[in-house]
Structures are given as C-alpha cells and as structure tokens.
Amino acid sequence: MIVKAEGGLLSHTILVVDDDARNLELLTETLTAEGYQVQTASRGEEALARVEEVGPDVVLLDVSMPGEDGIEVCRKLHEAPETAPIPVLLMTSQRRREVRLEAIAAGARDFLLKPLDVADLRIRVRNATEMKRLYDQSEERYRKISELEGLRDSLVHMIVHDLRTPLTAISGNLQLMEMALEDRLDSEMREALDGCTSGTRSIMRMVQSILDVSKIESETLELDLADHHLLDLLEEACSALGPLASRVRTQEDPPGAGVKARADSALVERVIVNLLTNALEYSPEEHAVVARVSLGDGVARVTVSDKGPGIPEEFLGQIFEKFGQVSGTRRIRKASAGLGLAFCRLAVEAHGGQIGVESTEGEGSTFWFELPLQGPP
Amino acid sequence: VETKLARILCIDDEPTIRSVVRRALTGAGHQVEEAEDGEVGVSLFEASEFDLVICDLIMPKKEGIQTILEIREQAPSVPILAVSGGLEFGGEAIDRFGPLVDAKALGADAALEKPFDVRELLETVDSLLVPDSPEE
C-alpha cells in the first residue's frame, strides 16, 4: 500500500483487465481521477501475472476475453489463498441471470454492467477498496495479536524456567533442615516446616505443569513409551505426594488384574499426581480419596474419586481448557486448580487417550482417564 | 545399603545449588569439591582423584556436555551424574530432558532434572557408587 504524500490518504491499487483498449483507457482515466493507482492488463493470463507482480487491492475484470475469460481468472484468484482476499468486480454486458450465478460461484464480489455508468463504477470500486482495507486491517491486528501471544508465551516460559533453580535451592534446603533437625522439632516448628515444604511442592508442580503444557503444545515432547502396570504408576504418584498420600486409597478392579498399558511413566505419574492433589485439596480431611485402576475395552482406566463439593455443571466443559480458569469467575478458578488439568488433558491425549470428569454438586467428583493398552496409534 | 564414602566433584555455576549438593552429600559422609564452571571443573578433575562427578549442563565458559566429554576422556569409568533444568530456553529445542538425554548418550551414567529432591540425589549418588552390588 502506498501513502499519498499530500493528504496522507491511503491510495489503493486497482488492476483493470479488459481486451478492449478504449475501455481500458476510459477506466484508467476515471479511476486515476479518483485518486487510485491504476494498473492494466488486456488478457486473462497477463492479468494473473500482473496480480502476482503488483498485488492490487481490487481487480476489475472483463468477463468476455479471448483465451482465459474473466470467470476463469476470477476462479483462479479466488482459489489461491494468497489472492482470495482481493475483491474481484466482474464487468459484463450480459444481463442473463446464469452469467451472474456463474460469476458468484467463481468468487466475484460484485458486477458492473457494460456500458459502464461512471457513478456506479465509482461507488462499487469505493466499496470494494473499503472491504479490502478492512480486511487488511483485521489481518494486521491478527498478526499483532499472534505476535503478542508468542511474546507472552516466551515470557511465561522464561520466568517459569528461571524459577527452577531457586526452587531447587528452597526445596533442597528445606529437606536438609528437616533431616538435620528431625528429632529436635517441636510440633509448632514441625508444622511451620511442613507448611513451607508443601507450599514449595505446590509451586514446583505449577512450574512443572506450565513447562509441560508448553512442551506438549510445541509438539517437541517425545513420549518415552514402555509397558507399565498402572497400579505401580499410581503407587509412585502417591509416594510423590509425601505425607498426604495417607489419605489416598488405591485399588485395582478386579484385585490382582495387573492392568498394563504402553505409556510414558513420568507423564502419566504426573497426570495422576495432579488429579490426586486436586481431589485431596477439595475433599474434607476425614474422607479418603479413592484411586482405582481397571480394564476397559482396549483401554486401561484410572479413576480418582473425591467427596468434595463437586463441580457446577456449567463449568465442566471448561476445566480442562488451558485458560478455562482465567476467563471464569472465582468459583471456576477454585474448581480448576490452575493449569494442572490442562496439562492432564494434553498428556492423556498425547497417549491417544481420553480424560473426563463426572461430578454432582454436593456429593463429589470422579475424574477419569483412559489410555489405549497398545499406546498411541 | 552400605555405600563407600566418596570424593565427589560438583560442577555447577549456581552457588545455591552447589551448596545444597555439598551439604546433602557431606551429611551423608562424602567429601565434596566445588567448581563454578566447566573449565574449573575439568582442571580440578585433572589435578585430583574423584570417585564421582556431578555436572550441571547449562553453564558459562564450558558447557556441561563438553565438560562431561573431557572428563570421560580422562577417566573412562568415573561415574558422572548430569543435572539440568532439562530445557534450553531461547533456542528451538524445548524438548523434555533433551540436553539430559544427550548427556547420557555422550557419557553421563545418570541424569537428574531440576528441581530435584535431596533424597533422590542421595539415592542416585549411592546407586552410582555401588553400581554392581545387588540391593539389600
């Protein structure tokens, strides 16, 4: 696009295509007088080359030309993604309805009847350039938003990544303190230390989830697949919970079934840890959280049930979305526990599996996921 | 499980991490030397005997994989534990454990991802120091 020096107005480029030299001349004169930059072509093939060359904002196209006719050129422009947004105005002396229908099917935006009425020409070209201007504007905005999104993701990623070293220092020192003071802690000190430890663990889980989500989204995550007993993964996940694990009851249905699936153990463990942590957080302390492994139809199924407040029905669809909790109210934010569930969904889907939740308000929730026994397809 | 007490070289550019590693391992009876980058690490290793090396991967001056390669060249059998944030930021490689996988392929015997657990660190070190003896 060219900016006119004097008025600062945007000057649009119009490509006029007509095999009649007098018509070309008339159109060029009229449109130039209106302040447009005019380019011309006198045949269909030439028109396509000129479009590529000058990138016009609007194309005025005569229907009947020797060689490739206007309809054909219009169709080609409409079908190519890079030229599809350019409005094409077909000019024809044909008043038959079929011609107009054919032109619509070929992607024309408007018609001009020949012989041309100059007032009519002006207003239709102005509408077409305005359409193109709005299109360009929204494209530009979209590009800027995508750029900002990219920056936001990079920034989040950088911050989170940089948190890992200080977090290692905090958790390491807390553990060393705990080991050194083991017998000398009174109950108040013990509670304080446990509080620090569990807070640190939950930050570490958040950091891990954010990194995992971005890794899965960037599609660079390669699954480290092997056959695993799901019950083993469940037990591993429990041991990662520390003292909280005492409130979890694990079981296999039927007992001793030895359900195995081809999976990435580290990822699946983290999915289970996320589900258990949520369940423990929302369940009253006197109730156990029940985690169950069973065999479905070609899938291994894991369920985690709690006796928490349940999730209001209107939020069920959103809780596995990456920003489901951000756009929601306080209630849904409480119900979705950050990015954890978004990570769970991505990790399960990376295995070719499914994840879901059944919940009744006031009674509790059961989160479940299923992994294909043979691994991802 | 009985583990022999060892001389361990910890190479990490982050003093807070070195400090945690040093106190965790000294607490378990080991002796720890620290190096703040790969260059210092390699020259300390040349100058003295070590039973085990713990090496960060993303460091200034000499990065971890190069450090591991050079140490491995001098001592084909010394156990090496690679530790890393596991991610390269700013480049295109954001794959999980990417650099750690490389480190293992290029000579490290085990890998730990930050943030790691002190108990996990101690267990890994123990298993590297007695690789062949069956667990009791």
Side-chain angles (χ1 to χ4, degrees), chain B residues 80-124:
Chain B
I80 300 176
L81 169 59
V83 175
S84 175
L87 298 167
E88 301 269 11
F89 180 72
E92 59 279 10
I94 317 180
D95 57 324
R96 185 170 58 135
F97 312 143
L100 283 175
V101 170
D102 290 347
K104 279 186 89 167
L106 293 169
D109 301 277
L112 268 187
E113 199 187 10
K114 282 181 198 168
F116 55 81
D117 195 271
V118 167
R119 285 184 192 85
E120 212 180 337
L121 172 70
L122 291 173
E123 280 166 22
T124 314

Side-chain angles (χ1 to χ4, degrees), chain A residues 230-231 234 251-254 257 259-260 291-297 299-303 369-371 373:
Chain A
L230 266 300
L231 194 59
L234 205 54
Q251 61 188 69
E252 188 167 38
D253 284 338
V259 178
K260 277 202 279 190
R292 193 179 279 124
V293 174
S294 61
L295 193 62
D297 186 13
V299 293
R301 187 178 166 92
V302 177
T303 60
F369 68 89
E370 292 176 344
L371 302 177
L373 300 179

Side-chain angles (χ1 to χ4, degrees), chain A residues 79-334:
Chain A
E79 277 168 4
E82 58 277 18
T83 51
I86 305 173
V88 174
L89 275 57
L90 282 171
M91 302 180 286
T92 178
S93 51
Q94 292 275 357
R95 276 154 209 274
R96 282 186 303 123
R97 188 166 172 268
E98 297 84 74
V99 178
R100 295 206 301 273
L101 290 178
E102 202 188 350
I104 289 168
R109 296 286 178 147
D110 207 346
F111 304 95
L112 287 165
L113 274 177
K114 281 181 165 182
L116 293 169
D117 174 328
V118 171
D120 198 35
L121 172 74
R122 283 194 191 118
I123 198 156
R124 281 167 199 262
V125 170
R126 194 198 299 156
N127 286 344
T129 53
E130 182 61 11
M131 183 192 295
K132 181 62 168 33
R133 190 184 65 78
L134 292 173
Y135 174 85
D136 288 344
Q137 199 177 59
S138 73
E139 277 291 288
E140 175 63 12
R141 287 187 182 153
Y142 177 75
R143 196 189 57 74
K144 279 196 181 138
I145 289 168
S146 305
E147 203 177 287
L148 284 174
E149 261 180 352
L151 279 176
R152 180 204 63 201
D153 286 352
S154 302
L155 186 66
V156 166
H157 199 276
M158 190 170 71
I159 293 171
V160 162
H161 186 247
D162 287 352
L163 283 174
R164 295 168 70 120
T165 295
L167 271 174
T168 307
I170 294 172
S171 72
N173 282 305
L174 280 170
Q175 270 185 292
L176 288 171
M177 217 191 288
E178 202 181 340
M179 287 155 107
L181 296 174
E182 196 84 69
D183 316 322
R184 283 173 283 160
L185 286 174
D186 60 29
S187 67
E188 210 159 295
M189 294 282 281
R190 159 63 54 192
E191 203 175 325
L193 197 54
D194 284 351
C196 291
T197 304
S198 85
T200 308
R201 275 179 196 240
S202 74
I203 299 177
M204 277 157 86
R205 270 195 304 276
M206 284 181 219
V207 162
Q208 200 61 60
S209 294
I210 294 173
L211 290 174
D212 284 337
V213 165
S214 70
K215 272 178 271 180
I216 297 182
E217 282 188 334
S218 69
E219 288 173 3
T220 53
L221 181 116
E222 272 184 38
L223 297 183
D224 182 8
L225 294 170
D227 285 325
H228 293 283
H229 282 289
L230 266 300
L231 194 59
D232 290 348
L233 299 184
L234 205 54
E235 304 289 353
E236 285 288 324
C238 284
S239 68
L241 292 176
L244 281 174
S246 62
R247 287 176 51 210
V248 180
R249 272 212 335 262
T250 59
Q251 61 188 69
E252 188 167 38
D253 284 338
V259 178
K260 277 202 279 190
R262 212 170 147 65
D264 183 314
S265 59
L267 271 189
V268 173
E269 255 173 61
R270 216 129 66 207
V271 169
I272 301 174
V273 167
N274 268 300
L275 297 182
L276 288 175
T277 314
N278 278 0
L280 288 166
E281 193 169 328
Y282 296 113
S283 227
E285 284 205 21
E286 64 274 21
H287 285 289
V289 164
V290 181
R292 193 179 279 124
V293 174
S294 61
L295 193 62
D297 186 13
V299 293
R301 187 178 166 92
V302 177
T303 60
V304 173
S305 308
D306 66 58
K307 296 268 182 233
I311 302 160
E313 208 179 329
E314 66 264 36
F315 299 150
L316 286 176
Q318 294 169 58
I319 57 172
F320 292 104
E321 297 300 321
K322 184 170 165 189
F323 294 114
Q325 71 278 18
V326 181
S327 55
T329 59
R330 278 180 60 128
R331 260 172 106 203
I332 184 167
R333 238 174 272 178
K334 280 205 81 168

